[in-house]
Amino acid sequence: MMKTGNLLLTAIMMILIGGLFAQDSESTFNEGVKAYEAGDYQTALEQFSSLVFKHIENADIYYNIGNCYYRLDDLGDAILNYKRALRIDPSHARAQNSLNFALTQIQDKQNPEQEDVVSGMLGKINRLISLNALAIIVVALLAVVVLIVVIMIVFYRGREKSVPLFFFTIAMVLLIIVGIFGWARWRHYQDNNEAVLLADTAIGYSGPGQEYTRVFTIHEGHVFQIMKKEAEWSQIKLRNGLGGWVRSAAFDAVKSNR
């Protein structure tokens, strides 16, 4: 009895702590919004960034961080955080519009990557349904499957089960389809290897060192793919197909390491 009471008390304490933490985070977010609206972009940036340091992954937070950097004339970090917002929620229209606008203002003009028909359709679906929404749908479908099983066990024992089996089959098919799509989205989320140049300029070399041949020069805000890292150098690939090695300190990955 004592163990049950202790477990109950612990559960209640965890709920209370979680509620206080959520309230504190919401208060911090609102303070950031107030500072931004007042034109105090540095304070707003500090408020929003403090939420990221608490390991809160939220598209709106990164979007607001991007806006703060944009107002502070830091295009590289603005583009980086718009990208981070879209990594979490590809359907975030404001982040996409802000990213597109910011990309028109960098020195290296980058055209959107061409998509084939299948990739284009998947991209549209990605922008319509967020990863969180997919998770909710999976949980809801799983609950429906369990409910149908319970109904068959309790109410259809020894009776014809064709009707509940029909709905069970439909729910299972939908669960498998959404589950596979959600898993693919999750893998894309985890395997994102995009990065944004934050330094004013960076020279790409044919190898991991300045003694190698110069291949290209890129400027702040340039978006590229990270191929691999070696000591303080990283091999990257640009959208035009060029590859080379740049210093890792010159950029930051879209997939945050915090």
Side-chain angles (χ1 to χ4, degrees):
M1 187 69 180
M2 183 64 69
K3 288 183 179 179
T4 303
N6 289 338
L7 287 173
L8 180 60
L9 180 61
T10 301
I12 293 172
M13 289 299 296
M14 290 296 292
I15 292 171
L16 290 174
I17 291 172
L20 290 173
F21 181 77
Q23 289 179 358
D24 179 63
S25 298
E26 184 178 355
S27 175
T28 301
F29 184 87
N30 291 334
E31 287 298 319
V33 172
K34 289 179 182 178
Y36 184 88
E37 291 176 345
D40 188 355
Y41 305 121
Q42 185 60 48
T43 298
L45 176 61
E46 292 169 2
Q47 294 290 335
F48 294 131
S49 297
S50 69
L51 296 174
V52 174
F53 281 110
K54 291 178 182 177
H55 302 285
I56 299 175
E57 289 282 295
N58 181 278
D60 285 332
I61 293 174
Y62 282 119
Y63 167 69
N64 284 313
I65 291 175
N67 286 341
C68 291
Y69 276 120
Y70 182 82
R71 292 291 186 177
L72 293 168
D73 296 321
D74 187 341
L75 274 178
D77 278 300
I79 291 170
L80 174 67
N81 283 280
Y82 292 144
K83 279 280 187 181
R84 285 176 173 171
L86 290 166
R87 174 176 174 260
I88 296 171
D89 181 8
S91 65
H92 202 297
R94 290 175 297 166
Q96 185 64 64
N97 292 335
S98 296
L99 172 64
N100 293 342
F101 183 72
L103 287 173
T104 65
Q105 300 181 53
I106 63 175
Q107 185 169 341
D108 303 332
K109 304 304 178 186
Q110 294 180 277
N111 297 321
E113 294 178 343
Q114 297 297 318
E115 296 180 327
D116 56 35
V117 176
V118 175
S119 298
M121 290 179 61
L122 290 176
K124 289 179 180 178
I125 295 174
N126 283 344
R127 288 185 283 273
L128 286 173
I129 308 175
S130 68
L131 190 59
N132 288 339
L134 282 171
I136 293 171
I137 294 171
V138 167
V139 172
L141 286 171
L142 185 60
V144 170
V145 169
V146 172
L147 179 61
I148 293 173
V149 171
V150 171
I151 290 173
M152 284 194 294
I153 294 173
V154 175
F155 297 103
Y156 283 81
R157 181 176 299 175
R159 297 169 55 189
E160 173 62 38
K161 297 182 176 66
S162 58
V163 173
L165 279 174
F166 172 75
F167 288 106
F168 174 81
T169 303
I170 292 176
M172 279 299 299
V173 170
L174 289 174
L175 178 60
I176 292 170
I177 293 173
V178 176
I180 291 173
F181 187 69
W183 178 84
R185 282 286 305 280
W186 173 253
R187 291 307 308 169
H188 176 74
Y189 173 81
Q190 288 294 319
D191 297 339
N192 187 302
N193 63 345
E194 280 190 312
V196 179
L197 188 70
L198 302 183
D200 291 337
T201 61
I203 299 172
Y205 296 92
S206 59
Q210 293 180 335
E211 67 275 14
Y212 289 91
T213 305
R214 291 190 179 194
V215 180
F216 56 77
T217 300
I218 53 177
H219 303 84
E220 181 185 10
H222 201 110
V223 181
F224 50 82
Q225 302 285 328
I226 305 171
M227 307 307 292
K228 64 179 180 179
K229 293 188 176 182
E230 185 175 310
E232 58 186 33
W233 292 85
S234 294
Q235 186 183 34
I236 68 171
K237 182 179 180 180
L238 309 183
R239 285 187 177 180
N240 61 10
L242 280 177
W245 293 78
V246 299
R247 289 191 179 277
S248 300
F251 65 84
D252 202 352
V254 172
K255 182 180 178 180
S256 176
N257 293 321
R258 292 194 183 101

